[in-house]
Amino acid sequence: MPANTDRHATAVARYFEAWNATGSEELTNAVAAAWTEDGTYTDPLADVRGHAQLAAVISAAHEQFPGFAFRLTGSVDGHHDTARFSWELVSEAEGGAAPVAGSDVLTLDAEGRITSVIGFLDRVPAGA
């Protein structure tokens, strides 16, 4: 039975704050708030470690999809130090079009910061 807690929901909210940060300083601060210093992110397109590499992956996503924002779809499912959730990359300017969607599993440290993310891409446009 899922045991979603505020701890899991808070970590996922900070995760989305990082992915939706605009501007270098906001992104740097959001990544530092969400991840441990040696935190990792791995999906089919990236395998990075540490705040600088995490920020670079997030910046690259914004360059590829300008004007889009990451949004939670459904609810956060969590237990112990692990949470899973699904998301979409949405364009408000294009009537809510969401060309990219995925599911992520993250692991938290004792303070609720992300130590690792394993991401799965469920929907990706051709050529992306």
Side-chain angles (χ1 to χ4, degrees), residues 14 17-18 21 23-35 51 55 113:
R14 283 195 312 260
E17 287 172 10
S24 178
E25 185 176 344
E26 181 183 352
L27 177 56
T28 297
N29 292 338
V31 167
W35 271 273
H51 291 175
R113 291 176 64 210

Side-chain angles (χ1 to χ4, degrees), residues 11-12 14-16 18-20 27 31 34-62 64-65 70 83 85-89 100-107 114-124:
V12 171
R14 283 195 312 260
Y15 176 81
F16 282 108
W19 278 96
N20 289 322
L27 177 56
V31 167
W35 271 273
T36 59
E37 202 164 308
D38 63 344
T40 63
Y41 177 86
T42 303
D43 72 13
L45 305 174
D47 187 10
V48 298
R49 174 180 300 275
H51 291 175
Q53 290 182 1
L54 289 160
V57 164
I58 292 169
S59 291
H62 284 282
Q64 186 173 5
F65 295 98
F70 289 88
F85 55 94
S86 296
W87 51 267
E88 290 184 321
L89 185 59
V100 182
S103 300
D104 292 352
V105 176
L106 56 81
T107 304
I114 300 167
T115 59
S116 69
V117 176
I118 303 296
F120 297 86
L121 299 174
D122 301 327
R123 180 175 62 240
V124 180

Side-chain angles (χ1 to χ4, degrees), residues 55-101:
V57 164
I58 292 169
S59 291
H62 284 282
E63 288 173 17
Q64 186 173 5
F65 295 98
F68 283 74
F70 289 88
R71 301 282 184 248
L72 180 67
T73 60
S75 59
V76 176
D77 182 15
H79 64 81
H80 297 88
D81 291 332
T82 305
R84 70 176 177 170
F85 55 94
S86 296
W87 51 267
E88 290 184 321
L89 185 59
V90 178
S91 170
E92 296 299 328
E94 295 182 24
V100 182

